[in-house]
mmCIF file of all heavy atoms in Angstrom:
data_model
loop_
_atom_site.group_PDB
_atom_site.id
_atom_site.type_symbol
_atom_site.label_atom_id
_atom_site.label_comp_id
_atom_site.label_asym_id
_atom_site.label_seq_id
_atom_site.Cartn_x
_atom_site.Cartn_y
_atom_site.Cartn_z
ATOM 1 N N ARG R 116 3.052 2.756 -2.187
ATOM 2 C CA ARG R 116 4.446 3.007 -2.576
ATOM 3 C C ARG R 116 5.061 1.649 -2.882
ATOM 4 O O ARG R 116 4.846 0.687 -2.150
ATOM 5 C CB ARG R 116 5.235 3.685 -1.440
ATOM 6 C CG ARG R 116 4.803 5.117 -1.124
ATOM 7 C CD ARG R 116 5.593 5.698 0.043
ATOM 8 N NE ARG R 116 5.291 5.010 1.278
ATOM 9 C CZ ARG R 116 6.139 4.219 1.924
ATOM 10 N NH1 ARG R 116 7.361 3.990 1.431
ATOM 11 N NH2 ARG R 116 5.804 3.634 3.057
ATOM 12 N N TYR R 117 5.837 1.556 -3.935
ATOM 13 C CA TYR R 117 6.402 0.274 -4.322
ATOM 14 C C TYR R 117 7.196 -0.388 -3.188
ATOM 15 O O TYR R 117 7.104 -1.616 -3.012
ATOM 16 C CB TYR R 117 7.288 0.424 -5.561
ATOM 17 C CG TYR R 117 7.911 -0.878 -5.987
ATOM 18 C CD1 TYR R 117 7.172 -1.823 -6.704
ATOM 19 C CD2 TYR R 117 9.227 -1.189 -5.654
ATOM 20 C CE1 TYR R 117 7.726 -3.021 -7.083
ATOM 21 C CE2 TYR R 117 9.791 -2.405 -6.025
ATOM 22 C CZ TYR R 117 9.039 -3.317 -6.739
ATOM 23 O OH TYR R 117 9.591 -4.519 -7.111
ATOM 24 N N PRO R 118 7.984 0.356 -2.383
ATOM 25 C CA PRO R 118 8.751 -0.295 -1.310
ATOM 26 C C PRO R 118 7.901 -1.059 -0.290
ATOM 27 O O PRO R 118 8.430 -1.885 0.457
ATOM 28 C CB PRO R 118 9.475 0.876 -0.639
ATOM 29 C CG PRO R 118 9.623 1.890 -1.726
ATOM 30 C CD PRO R 118 8.344 1.781 -2.511
ATOM 31 N N LEU R 119 6.592 -0.792 -0.271
ATOM 32 C CA LEU R 119 5.734 -1.528 0.663
ATOM 33 C C LEU R 119 5.761 -3.026 0.387
ATOM 34 O O LEU R 119 5.402 -3.829 1.259
ATOM 35 C CB LEU R 119 4.295 -1.012 0.570
ATOM 36 C CG LEU R 119 4.010 0.344 1.213
ATOM 37 C CD1 LEU R 119 2.604 0.810 0.885
ATOM 38 C CD2 LEU R 119 4.211 0.266 2.716
ATOM 39 N N ILE R 120 6.184 -3.390 -0.813
ATOM 40 C CA ILE R 120 6.245 -4.807 -1.157
ATOM 41 C C ILE R 120 7.175 -5.562 -0.208
ATOM 42 O O ILE R 120 6.994 -6.737 0.080
ATOM 43 C CB ILE R 120 6.678 -4.978 -2.628
ATOM 44 C CG1 ILE R 120 6.310 -6.369 -3.114
ATOM 45 C CG2 ILE R 120 8.161 -4.717 -2.813
ATOM 46 C CD1 ILE R 120 6.435 -6.542 -4.603
ATOM 47 N N HIS R 121 8.171 -4.848 0.316
ATOM 48 C CA HIS R 121 9.131 -5.477 1.220
ATOM 49 C C HIS R 121 8.612 -5.540 2.653
ATOM 50 O O HIS R 121 9.234 -6.174 3.515
ATOM 51 C CB HIS R 121 10.456 -4.705 1.187
ATOM 52 C CG HIS R 121 11.036 -4.588 -0.191
ATOM 53 N ND1 HIS R 121 11.446 -5.675 -0.919
ATOM 54 C CD2 HIS R 121 11.250 -3.491 -0.982
ATOM 55 C CE1 HIS R 121 11.906 -5.273 -2.090
ATOM 56 N NE2 HIS R 121 11.791 -3.958 -2.161
ATOM 57 N N HIS R 122 7.486 -4.899 2.926
ATOM 58 C CA HIS R 122 6.884 -4.919 4.257
ATOM 59 C C HIS R 122 5.671 -5.850 4.320
ATOM 60 O O HIS R 122 5.054 -5.981 5.374
ATOM 61 C CB HIS R 122 6.465 -3.511 4.667
ATOM 62 C CG HIS R 122 7.614 -2.543 4.765
ATOM 63 N ND1 HIS R 122 8.421 -2.453 5.885
ATOM 64 C CD2 HIS R 122 8.099 -1.652 3.873
ATOM 65 C CE1 HIS R 122 9.359 -1.529 5.673
ATOM 66 N NE2 HIS R 122 9.178 -1.030 4.469
ATOM 67 N N SER R 123 5.369 -6.468 3.193
ATOM 68 C CA SER R 123 4.209 -7.352 3.150
ATOM 69 C C SER R 123 4.441 -8.604 3.981
ATOM 70 O O SER R 123 5.494 -9.236 3.905
ATOM 71 C CB SER R 123 3.910 -7.747 1.705
ATOM 72 O OG SER R 123 2.934 -8.767 1.662
ATOM 73 N N LYS R 124 3.432 -8.974 4.762
ATOM 74 C CA LYS R 124 3.466 -10.215 5.523
ATOM 75 C C LYS R 124 2.450 -11.217 4.985
ATOM 76 O O LYS R 124 2.166 -12.236 5.625
ATOM 77 C CB LYS R 124 3.197 -9.915 7.000
ATOM 78 C CG LYS R 124 4.248 -9.022 7.644
ATOM 79 C CD LYS R 124 3.917 -8.734 9.095
ATOM 80 C CE LYS R 124 4.968 -7.808 9.716
ATOM 81 N NZ LYS R 124 4.645 -7.473 11.122
ATOM 82 N N ASP R 125 1.918 -10.899 3.819
ATOM 83 C CA ASP R 125 0.927 -11.753 3.169
ATOM 84 C C ASP R 125 1.662 -12.791 2.310
ATOM 85 O O ASP R 125 2.192 -12.463 1.245
ATOM 86 C CB ASP R 125 -0.007 -10.898 2.313
ATOM 87 C CG ASP R 125 -1.151 -11.694 1.703
ATOM 88 O OD1 ASP R 125 -1.044 -12.929 1.623
ATOM 89 O OD2 ASP R 125 -2.143 -11.066 1.289
ATOM 90 N N GLN R 126 1.707 -14.029 2.762
ATOM 91 C CA GLN R 126 2.436 -15.074 2.048
ATOM 92 C C GLN R 126 1.826 -15.351 0.677
ATOM 93 O O GLN R 126 2.544 -15.693 -0.271
ATOM 94 C CB GLN R 126 2.480 -16.354 2.881
ATOM 95 C CG GLN R 126 3.295 -16.223 4.161
ATOM 96 C CD GLN R 126 3.348 -17.512 4.948
ATOM 97 O OE1 GLN R 126 2.655 -18.486 4.643
ATOM 98 N NE2 GLN R 126 4.176 -17.534 5.982
ATOM 99 N N ASN R 127 0.508 -15.204 0.569
ATOM 100 C CA ASN R 127 -0.136 -15.396 -0.733
ATOM 101 C C ASN R 127 0.338 -14.339 -1.732
ATOM 102 O O ASN R 127 0.589 -14.638 -2.905
ATOM 103 C CB ASN R 127 -1.657 -15.315 -0.580
ATOM 104 C CG ASN R 127 -2.196 -16.404 0.322
ATOM 105 O OD1 ASN R 127 -1.862 -17.572 0.175
ATOM 106 N ND2 ASN R 127 -3.041 -16.016 1.273
ATOM 107 N N PHE R 128 0.473 -13.118 -1.261
ATOM 108 C CA PHE R 128 0.960 -12.038 -2.115
ATOM 109 C C PHE R 128 2.412 -12.281 -2.519
ATOM 110 O O PHE R 128 2.789 -12.079 -3.679
ATOM 111 C CB PHE R 128 0.833 -10.698 -1.390
ATOM 112 C CG PHE R 128 1.412 -9.537 -2.150
ATOM 113 C CD1 PHE R 128 0.710 -8.939 -3.169
ATOM 114 C CD2 PHE R 128 2.674 -9.048 -1.840
ATOM 115 C CE1 PHE R 128 1.234 -7.869 -3.876
ATOM 116 C CE2 PHE R 128 3.218 -7.985 -2.520
ATOM 117 C CZ PHE R 128 2.493 -7.390 -3.549
ATOM 118 N N GLN R 129 3.228 -12.718 -1.573
ATOM 119 C CA GLN R 129 4.637 -12.963 -1.874
ATOM 120 C C GLN R 129 4.787 -14.069 -2.914
ATOM 121 O O GLN R 129 5.615 -13.964 -3.833
ATOM 122 C CB GLN R 129 5.394 -13.330 -0.591
ATOM 123 C CG GLN R 129 5.513 -12.196 0.411
ATOM 124 C CD GLN R 129 6.337 -11.027 -0.136
ATOM 125 O OE1 GLN R 129 7.204 -11.206 -0.976
ATOM 126 N NE2 GLN R 129 6.055 -9.828 0.358
ATOM 127 N N ARG R 130 4.003 -15.110 -2.791
ATOM 128 C CA ARG R 130 4.038 -16.188 -3.781
ATOM 129 C C ARG R 130 3.603 -15.667 -5.149
ATOM 130 O O ARG R 130 4.213 -15.976 -6.178
ATOM 131 C CB ARG R 130 3.145 -17.341 -3.343
ATOM 132 C CG ARG R 130 3.147 -18.519 -4.317
ATOM 133 C CD ARG R 130 2.405 -19.719 -3.764
ATOM 134 N NE ARG R 130 1.006 -19.443 -3.497
ATOM 135 C CZ ARG R 130 0.496 -19.316 -2.283
ATOM 136 N NH1 ARG R 130 1.268 -19.421 -1.217
ATOM 137 N NH2 ARG R 130 -0.787 -19.072 -2.118
ATOM 138 N N LEU R 131 2.555 -14.857 -5.154
ATOM 139 C CA LEU R 131 2.063 -14.286 -6.395
ATOM 140 C C LEU R 131 3.097 -13.366 -7.033
ATOM 141 O O LEU R 131 3.279 -13.349 -8.260
ATOM 142 C CB LEU R 131 0.767 -13.514 -6.110
ATOM 143 C CG LEU R 131 -0.071 -13.057 -7.293
ATOM 144 C CD1 LEU R 131 -0.487 -14.229 -8.155
ATOM 145 C CD2 LEU R 131 -1.298 -12.298 -6.795
ATOM 146 N N TYR R 132 3.806 -12.618 -6.210
ATOM 147 C CA TYR R 132 4.844 -11.708 -6.698
ATOM 148 C C TYR R 132 5.924 -12.481 -7.457
ATOM 149 O O TYR R 132 6.341 -12.096 -8.556
ATOM 150 C CB TYR R 132 5.448 -10.953 -5.521
ATOM 151 C CG TYR R 132 6.634 -10.092 -5.877
ATOM 152 C CD1 TYR R 132 6.482 -8.920 -6.618
ATOM 153 C CD2 TYR R 132 7.915 -10.455 -5.465
ATOM 154 C CE1 TYR R 132 7.576 -8.133 -6.940
ATOM 155 C CE2 TYR R 132 9.014 -9.670 -5.778
ATOM 156 C CZ TYR R 132 8.835 -8.515 -6.520
ATOM 157 O OH TYR R 132 9.923 -7.745 -6.842
ATOM 158 N N HIS R 133 6.360 -13.582 -6.908
ATOM 159 C CA HIS R 133 7.398 -14.383 -7.566
ATOM 160 C C HIS R 133 6.854 -15.089 -8.807
ATOM 161 O O HIS R 133 7.568 -15.214 -9.816
ATOM 162 C CB HIS R 133 7.980 -15.389 -6.580
ATOM 163 C CG HIS R 133 8.767 -14.757 -5.469
ATOM 164 N ND1 HIS R 133 9.954 -14.068 -5.687
ATOM 165 C CD2 HIS R 133 8.527 -14.673 -4.132
ATOM 166 C CE1 HIS R 133 10.431 -13.616 -4.548
ATOM 167 N NE2 HIS R 133 9.579 -13.958 -3.582
ATOM 168 N N GLN R 134 5.614 -15.525 -8.756
ATOM 169 C CA GLN R 134 5.011 -16.154 -9.932
ATOM 170 C C GLN R 134 4.903 -15.166 -11.091
ATOM 171 O O GLN R 134 5.183 -15.516 -12.240
ATOM 172 C CB GLN R 134 3.625 -16.706 -9.579
ATOM 173 C CG GLN R 134 3.642 -17.928 -8.687
ATOM 174 C CD GLN R 134 2.249 -18.325 -8.237
ATOM 175 O OE1 GLN R 134 1.310 -17.510 -8.229
ATOM 176 N NE2 GLN R 134 2.098 -19.586 -7.838
ATOM 177 N N MET R 135 4.526 -13.941 -10.782
ATOM 178 C CA MET R 135 4.368 -12.953 -11.846
ATOM 179 C C MET R 135 5.717 -12.505 -12.406
ATOM 180 O O MET R 135 5.823 -12.175 -13.587
ATOM 181 C CB MET R 135 3.556 -11.753 -11.343
ATOM 182 C CG MET R 135 2.102 -12.089 -11.102
ATOM 183 S SD MET R 135 0.990 -10.662 -11.095
ATOM 184 C CE MET R 135 0.920 -10.257 -12.845
ATOM 185 N N LYS R 136 6.747 -12.503 -11.581
ATOM 186 C CA LYS R 136 8.086 -12.183 -12.084
ATOM 187 C C LYS R 136 8.545 -13.227 -13.099
ATOM 188 O O LYS R 136 9.258 -12.907 -14.058
ATOM 189 C CB LYS R 136 9.085 -12.104 -10.924
ATOM 190 C CG LYS R 136 8.999 -10.825 -10.107
ATOM 191 C CD LYS R 136 10.082 -10.753 -9.055
ATOM 192 C CE LYS R 136 11.453 -10.613 -9.692
ATOM 193 N NZ LYS R 136 12.512 -10.425 -8.663
ATOM 194 N N ASP R 137 8.106 -14.467 -12.909
ATOM 195 C CA ASP R 137 8.494 -15.556 -13.808
ATOM 196 C C ASP R 137 7.580 -15.677 -15.025
ATOM 197 O O ASP R 137 7.858 -16.473 -15.927
ATOM 198 C CB ASP R 137 8.487 -16.893 -13.051
ATOM 199 C CG ASP R 137 9.556 -16.947 -11.972
ATOM 200 O OD1 ASP R 137 10.544 -16.199 -12.077
ATOM 201 O OD2 ASP R 137 9.388 -17.733 -11.010
ATOM 202 N N TRP R 138 6.490 -14.920 -15.044
ATOM 203 C CA TRP R 138 5.516 -15.004 -16.137
ATOM 204 C C TRP R 138 6.134 -14.460 -17.418
ATOM 205 O O TRP R 138 6.520 -13.299 -17.494
ATOM 206 C CB TRP R 138 4.270 -14.210 -15.743
ATOM 207 C CG TRP R 138 3.143 -14.273 -16.730
ATOM 208 C CD1 TRP R 138 2.894 -15.250 -17.648
ATOM 209 C CD2 TRP R 138 2.085 -13.317 -16.873
ATOM 210 N NE1 TRP R 138 1.752 -14.975 -18.366
ATOM 211 C CE2 TRP R 138 1.245 -13.789 -17.901
ATOM 212 C CE3 TRP R 138 1.775 -12.127 -16.221
ATOM 213 C CZ2 TRP R 138 0.109 -13.090 -18.303
ATOM 214 C CZ3 TRP R 138 0.644 -11.432 -16.615
ATOM 215 C CH2 TRP R 138 -0.178 -11.909 -17.640
ATOM 216 N N GLN R 139 6.202 -15.288 -18.432
ATOM 217 C CA GLN R 139 6.793 -14.895 -19.711
ATOM 218 C C GLN R 139 5.706 -14.357 -20.638
ATOM 219 O O GLN R 139 5.374 -14.964 -21.664
ATOM 220 C CB GLN R 139 7.508 -16.101 -20.351
ATOM 221 C CG GLN R 139 8.615 -16.700 -19.501
ATOM 222 C CD GLN R 139 9.734 -15.708 -19.239
ATOM 223 O OE1 GLN R 139 10.221 -15.041 -20.155
ATOM 224 N NE2 GLN R 139 10.161 -15.607 -17.976
ATOM 225 N N VAL R 140 5.150 -13.212 -20.289
ATOM 226 C CA VAL R 140 4.098 -12.616 -21.120
ATOM 227 C C VAL R 140 4.744 -11.764 -22.204
ATOM 228 O O VAL R 140 5.496 -10.840 -21.929
ATOM 229 C CB VAL R 140 3.115 -11.788 -20.255
ATOM 230 C CG1 VAL R 140 3.833 -10.699 -19.467
ATOM 231 C CG2 VAL R 140 2.011 -11.184 -21.116
ATOM 232 N N ASN R 141 4.447 -12.103 -23.455
ATOM 233 C CA ASN R 141 5.054 -11.408 -24.590
ATOM 234 C C ASN R 141 4.003 -10.833 -25.528
ATOM 235 O O ASN R 141 4.238 -10.674 -26.723
ATOM 236 C CB ASN R 141 5.991 -12.350 -25.350
ATOM 237 C CG ASN R 141 5.271 -13.617 -25.811
ATOM 238 O OD1 ASN R 141 4.070 -13.762 -25.611
ATOM 239 N ND2 ASN R 141 6.022 -14.523 -26.419
ATOM 240 N N TYR R 142 2.838 -10.550 -24.988
ATOM 241 C CA TYR R 142 1.755 -9.958 -25.758
ATOM 242 C C TYR R 142 1.091 -8.890 -24.889
ATOM 243 O O TYR R 142 1.237 -8.895 -23.672
ATOM 244 C CB TYR R 142 0.741 -11.034 -26.181
ATOM 245 C CG TYR R 142 0.125 -11.790 -25.032
ATOM 246 C CD1 TYR R 142 -1.020 -11.323 -24.378
ATOM 247 C CD2 TYR R 142 0.689 -12.989 -24.580
ATOM 248 C CE1 TYR R 142 -1.576 -12.006 -23.318
ATOM 249 C CE2 TYR R 142 0.127 -13.681 -23.509
ATOM 250 C CZ TYR R 142 -0.999 -13.194 -22.893
ATOM 251 O OH TYR R 142 -1.554 -13.874 -21.843
ATOM 252 N N PRO R 143 0.368 -7.960 -25.482
ATOM 253 C CA PRO R 143 -0.223 -6.874 -24.685
ATOM 254 C C PRO R 143 -1.393 -7.337 -23.820
ATOM 255 O O PRO R 143 -2.263 -8.075 -24.274
ATOM 256 C CB PRO R 143 -0.690 -5.867 -25.742
ATOM 257 C CG PRO R 143 -0.843 -6.658 -26.995
ATOM 258 C CD PRO R 143 0.177 -7.754 -26.927
ATOM 259 N N VAL R 144 -1.386 -6.911 -22.568
ATOM 260 C CA VAL R 144 -2.477 -7.142 -21.621
ATOM 261 C C VAL R 144 -2.827 -5.794 -20.999
ATOM 262 O O VAL R 144 -1.932 -5.014 -20.668
ATOM 263 C CB VAL R 144 -2.067 -8.132 -20.509
ATOM 264 C CG1 VAL R 144 -3.205 -8.319 -19.516
ATOM 265 C CG2 VAL R 144 -1.643 -9.464 -21.093
ATOM 266 N N ILE R 145 -4.115 -5.527 -20.860
ATOM 267 C CA ILE R 145 -4.552 -4.272 -20.258
ATOM 268 C C ILE R 145 -5.333 -4.582 -18.988
ATOM 269 O O ILE R 145 -6.286 -5.360 -19.010
ATOM 270 C CB ILE R 145 -5.421 -3.445 -21.217
ATOM 271 C CG1 ILE R 145 -4.744 -3.288 -22.579
ATOM 272 C CG2 ILE R 145 -5.704 -2.063 -20.622
ATOM 273 C CD1 ILE R 145 -5.594 -2.577 -23.615
ATOM 274 N N ILE R 146 -4.914 -3.981 -17.890
ATOM 275 C CA ILE R 146 -5.575 -4.183 -16.607
ATOM 276 C C ILE R 146 -6.209 -2.875 -16.142
ATOM 277 O O ILE R 146 -5.549 -1.836 -16.124
ATOM 278 C CB ILE R 146 -4.584 -4.688 -15.540
ATOM 279 C CG1 ILE R 146 -4.015 -6.051 -15.947
ATOM 280 C CG2 ILE R 146 -5.262 -4.783 -14.178
ATOM 281 C CD1 ILE R 146 -2.987 -6.596 -14.970
ATOM 282 N N TYR R 147 -7.475 -2.951 -15.773
ATOM 283 C CA TYR R 147 -8.202 -1.801 -15.229
ATOM 284 C C TYR R 147 -8.574 -2.130 -13.787
ATOM 285 O O TYR R 147 -9.346 -3.058 -13.536
ATOM 286 C CB TYR R 147 -9.456 -1.517 -16.054
ATOM 287 C CG TYR R 147 -9.160 -1.107 -17.476
ATOM 288 C CD1 TYR R 147 -8.941 -2.070 -18.462
ATOM 289 C CD2 TYR R 147 -9.087 0.236 -17.843
ATOM 290 C CE1 TYR R 147 -8.664 -1.707 -19.767
ATOM 291 C CE2 TYR R 147 -8.802 0.606 -19.148
ATOM 292 C CZ TYR R 147 -8.592 -0.362 -20.101
ATOM 293 O OH TYR R 147 -8.304 -0.004 -21.393
ATOM 294 N N ASN R 148 -8.022 -1.383 -12.876
ATOM 295 C CA ASN R 148 -8.242 -1.601 -11.454
ATOM 296 C C ASN R 148 -9.221 -0.535 -10.958
ATOM 297 O O ASN R 148 -8.841 0.608 -10.706
ATOM 298 C CB ASN R 148 -6.911 -1.508 -10.706
ATOM 299 C CG ASN R 148 -6.991 -2.058 -9.296
ATOM 300 O OD1 ASN R 148 -8.003 -2.627 -8.899
ATOM 301 N ND2 ASN R 148 -5.927 -1.884 -8.532
ATOM 302 N N LEU R 149 -10.488 -0.902 -10.819
ATOM 303 C CA LEU R 149 -11.534 0.037 -10.430
ATOM 304 C C LEU R 149 -11.878 -0.157 -8.958
ATOM 305 O O LEU R 149 -12.182 -1.275 -8.524
ATOM 306 C CB LEU R 149 -12.785 -0.154 -11.297
ATOM 307 C CG LEU R 149 -12.566 -0.165 -12.817
ATOM 308 C CD1 LEU R 149 -13.904 -0.241 -13.546
ATOM 309 C CD2 LEU R 149 -11.774 1.054 -13.282
ATOM 310 N N MET R 150 -11.811 0.925 -8.208
ATOM 311 C CA MET R 150 -12.041 0.861 -6.761
ATOM 312 C C MET R 150 -13.144 1.837 -6.362
ATOM 313 O O MET R 150 -13.414 2.806 -7.075
ATOM 314 C CB MET R 150 -10.749 1.210 -6.015
ATOM 315 C CG MET R 150 -9.591 0.275 -6.302
ATOM 316 S SD MET R 150 -8.053 0.798 -5.485
ATOM 317 C CE MET R 150 -7.707 2.292 -6.398
ATOM 318 N N GLY R 151 -13.750 1.585 -5.227
ATOM 319 C CA GLY R 151 -14.776 2.480 -4.705
ATOM 320 C C GLY R 151 -14.342 3.083 -3.389
ATOM 321 O O GLY R 151 -13.462 2.574 -2.699
ATOM 322 N N THR R 152 -14.968 4.200 -3.039
ATOM 323 C CA THR R 152 -14.749 4.830 -1.743
ATOM 324 C C THR R 152 -16.114 5.098 -1.119
ATOM 325 O O THR R 152 -16.901 5.876 -1.656
ATOM 326 C CB THR R 152 -13.986 6.162 -1.879
ATOM 327 O OG1 THR R 152 -12.753 5.939 -2.559
ATOM 328 C CG2 THR R 152 -13.707 6.768 -0.507
ATOM 329 N N LYS R 153 -16.400 4.439 -0.015
ATOM 330 C CA LYS R 153 -17.710 4.620 0.606
ATOM 331 C C LYS R 153 -17.811 6.013 1.222
ATOM 332 O O LYS R 153 -16.796 6.663 1.511
ATOM 333 C CB LYS R 153 -17.943 3.552 1.671
ATOM 334 C CG LYS R 153 -17.119 3.739 2.939
ATOM 335 C CD LYS R 153 -17.555 2.774 4.028
ATOM 336 C CE LYS R 153 -16.805 3.041 5.331
ATOM 337 N NZ LYS R 153 -17.244 2.158 6.426
#
């Protein structure tokens, strides 16, 4: 759930969150997040 972002205690994630907010991307990027379930 998006609100979990406010419960994160991962400082690396928080830094990344602010860096990505400042990212001035003005071209298309496609991300595929593939996960497994054992």
Side-chain angles (χ1 to χ4, degrees):
R116 292 178 293 111
Y117 179 79
L119 285 172
I120 198 168
H121 304 296
H122 298 277
S123 170
K124 297 179 181 178
D125 185 341
Q126 294 181 351
N127 298 312
F128 175 80
Q129 292 296 332
R130 181 172 61 252
L131 192 58
Y132 174 71
H133 292 295
Q134 289 173 338
M135 290 201 74
K136 283 185 67 175
D137 294 337
W138 184 24
Q139 301 298 312
V140 57
N141 56 3
Y142 58 87
V144 178
I145 309 175
I146 298 178
Y147 296 84
N148 194 7
L149 309 185
M150 299 176 292
T152 304
K153 72 171 185 178

